[in-house]
Amino acid sequence: MLKGKKILIGITGSIAAYKTVLLVRELAKSGAEVQVICTKSALDFITPLTLSTLSQNPVYSDFLIDSKSGEWTNHVRLGKWADLFVIAPLSANTLSKLVHGLCDNLLLATFLSADCPIMVAPAMDLDMYHHWTTQQNLSNLRKNGVKVIDVGDGELASGLVGKGRMAEPEDIYKAIGEYFDVQSKLSGRKILITAGPTYEKIDPVRFIGNYSSGKMGYSIAQEAFERGCSVTLISGPTALPRPGEGIDFISVESAEEMLSAVDSHYHVADVVIMSAAVADYRPKHVFQDKQKKESKGLNAIELEETTDILKSLGKQKNHQFLVGFALETNDELANGRRKLENKNLDMLVMNSLNDKGAGFGTDTNKVTFIFPEGNIEHSLKDKRAVAKDIFDAIENRI
Ligand code: CTP
């Protein structure tokens, strides 16, 4: 899987740098083309000679290679050359610089010029790792599509014990392998995702809505982005931060607005995942002015059905792989299968309000995938892990 892949390794100043030597060796042994950039502090821990011998390429650490001849390292070329840029170890200092767009060394300049996916393996002492600034910086990287390989738990260089060790070279190697593995299947596919609730207006200050937080749909969008897909996320109102730049984001309010946004993207989509909790009904009449108590205008609101977006997609389906969601409270599997068939779906993700930790607002979900050929039940997982399961299942079928 790694043969011929162009992997750029960035090394920053941390004792874990010695482990990256093993990573470079393994990548080169697997047939990957490896180039290495070190920060000045990284060179306090390892030598360029070791890395150039193992990678069979020069090791870069300076903008200027030879001041007499004016030979310089082209960071743009390095960033464009790579299929994947892995920064391991990533120190707290470089982490902070990456997030703030600083550019005072070759590694940072290459990060800013790179248009390939980026992976980082942080390494630092446990208090530094748990510090809120570090946590915010890591979450900022994640939000912007950088894959963060979790730190390990154990003995640290300081003698303290806890979280902060760089992931082991074999785990980083595995993450790289997995990245190229899924890339080859879904890379470049167009994925259309809906998320969140819809709000159906009653008057200028009131609406009918539901408890959907949008977390599931946003996690699905992030997962699709990390798998190299071209992602469009159509979202109803949520309190979540807007996804990073690589995701095409369309904000809507009502079921009708969601329908029209979905319609205009449907024909080019390869996979459509309707995780939004679309309102089934909306007020038949929307008051232009705020309704006063005395007017009794809100005593009875007449409702009309919204268009079932998913059902209409199922009717028009040609090449698309269509995924629906269902939240049930009883007869879950039978109801789920009925929806799969009625809406002409390829897959239905069913969650039950009877399962603790599943459904609206939580960070976790417990789902069963319903396919025409059978069901697959999953355990309780965080929503990002559920998103991974969804894509693994889709990949196996398209
Ligand atoms: N959905 C939709 N448009 C609607 C309502 C629902 O596209 N107006 C989609 C949701 O995004 C979800 C799926 O349909 O993927 C399931 O919605 P649900 O409301 O559970 O299905 P219904 O067929 O409306 O059944 P129920 O009677 O249980 O509400």
Side-chain angles (χ1 to χ4, degrees):
M1 196 44 84
L2 292 180
K3 204 168 166 35
K5 298 288 185 233
K6 298 184 174 83
I7 303 175
L8 182 61
I9 299 286
I11 306 180
T12 73
S14 155
I15 180 64
Y18 82 90
K19 294 197 210 169
T20 306
V21 171
L22 302 173
L23 176 67
V24 169
R25 189 188 62 178
E26 285 313 303
L27 290 171
K29 265 172 63 183
S30 314
E33 285 183 52
V34 186
Q35 301 217 56
V36 181
I37 303 177
C38 289
T39 61
K40 290 261 163 50
S41 334
L43 297 179
D44 292 335
F45 295 93
I46 36 163
T47 71
L49 183 59
T50 311
L51 291 163
S52 63
T53 308
L54 294 172
S55 67
Q56 302 194 350
N57 274 311
V59 171
Y60 305 100
S61 56
D62 266 315
F63 285 111
L64 203 55
I65 298 174
D66 181 349
S67 58
K68 281 199 194 116
S69 69
E71 192 189 345
W72 63 290
T73 311
N74 188 331
H75 55 88
V76 177
R77 186 190 57 74
L78 281 171
K80 302 280 179 255
W81 168 84
D83 295 321
L84 179 69
F85 185 13
V86 183
I87 306 177
L90 173 65
S91 65
N93 181 42
T94 299
L95 165 65
S96 170
K97 288 180 170 183
L98 293 181
V99 170
H100 294 93
L102 267 72
C103 188
D104 62 0
N105 66 41
L106 182 68
L107 189 148
L108 295 167
T110 308
F111 172 76
L112 289 176
S113 332
D115 52 13
C116 62
I118 314 244
M119 252 182 214
V120 299
M124 61 200 76
D125 214 73
L126 89 159
D127 295 311
M128 294 168 81
Y129 176 72
H130 287 295
H131 200 276
W132 61 268
T133 54
T134 303
Q135 289 306 313
Q136 273 188 8
N137 287 338
L138 286 172
S139 129
N140 221 329
L141 282 189
R142 286 193 186 95
K143 260 191 280 178
N144 286 289
V146 173
K147 161 92 180 152
V148 178
I149 303 171
D150 281 343
V151 295
D153 203 331
E155 213 167 291
L156 298 159
S158 62
L160 297 174
V161 176
K163 278 188 111 175
R165 291 165 63 95
M166 185 178 83
E168 293 305 318
E170 53 271 27
D171 294 329
I172 302 175
Y173 180 85
K174 198 167 147 226
I176 294 173
E178 281 171 2
Y179 163 76
F180 283 113
D181 192 21
V182 294
Q183 277 295 306
S184 56
K185 289 180 195 152
L186 274 178
S187 182
R189 301 279 191 142
K190 288 194 165 50
I191 316 283
L192 179 60
I193 298 156
T194 64
T198 64
Y199 286 0
E200 309 303 325
K201 254 194 183 150
I202 300 172
D203 70 11
V205 297
R206 301 180 179 93
F207 60 85
I208 297 174
N210 58 64
Y211 289 122
S212 170
S213 65
K215 283 180 186 167
M216 191 64 247
Y218 280 54
S219 298
I220 292 170
Q222 187 60 31
E223 179 64 23
F225 174 68
E226 285 186 18
R227 291 188 184 219
C229 307
S230 156
V231 186
T232 300
L233 173 63
I234 300 173
S235 173
T238 74
L240 299 174
R242 233 185 128 107
E245 266 184 20
I247 295 177
D248 177 25
F249 183 73
I250 300 170
S251 166
V252 297
E253 190 175 283
S254 63
E256 184 140 354
E257 283 173 19
M258 188 170 277
L259 171 67
S260 107
V262 168
D263 268 352
S264 59
H265 288 82
Y266 185 54
H267 59 289
V268 291
D270 298 304
V271 177
V272 181
I273 306 178
M274 282 288 303
S275 73
V278 187
D280 287 328
Y281 289 92
R282 66 171 160 241
K284 197 164 181 181
H285 171 73
V286 180
F287 295 102
Q288 291 310 307
D289 299 315
K290 184 184 169 202
Q291 289 304 289
K292 299 301 230 183
K293 251 184 293 192
E294 308 84 67
S295 71
K296 308 278 184 209
L298 300 182
N299 270 6
I301 300 171
E302 197 182 347
L303 300 178
E304 65 182 6
E305 267 188 55
T306 57
T307 305
D308 188 325
I309 305 173
L310 189 55
K311 197 167 185 177
S312 82
L313 299 183
K315 280 189 188 139
Q316 306 163 50
K317 188 166 80 171
N318 39 59
H319 65 283
Q320 292 90 348
F321 189 92
L322 198 51
V323 184
F325 266 69
L327 179 63
E328 302 290 336
T329 55
N330 57 295
D331 275 342
E332 290 90 341
L333 293 179
N335 282 332
R337 182 152 298 280
R338 206 163 27 245
K339 280 180 193 175
L340 181 89
E341 286 160 8
N342 288 346
K343 302 193 187 195
N344 190 23
L345 308 181
D346 300 289
M347 172 176 175
L348 184 107
V349 180
M350 213 272 310
N351 39 126
S352 164
L353 268 191
N354 296 322
D355 285 323
K356 225 171 155 231
F360 287 161
T362 59
D363 287 329
T364 52
N365 210 353
K366 184 176 181 318
V367 297
T368 301
F369 295 163
I370 301 182
F371 300 103
E373 71 275 14
N375 302 343
I376 301 179
E377 201 180 321
H378 290 272
S379 56
L380 183 73
K381 296 182 181 180
D382 71 53
K383 285 187 172 167
R384 193 53 204 279
V386 175
K388 278 190 195 311
D389 288 341
I390 291 173
F391 276 96
D392 287 346
I394 294 172
E395 271 171 31
N396 284 336
R397 284 167 175 82
I398 57 175

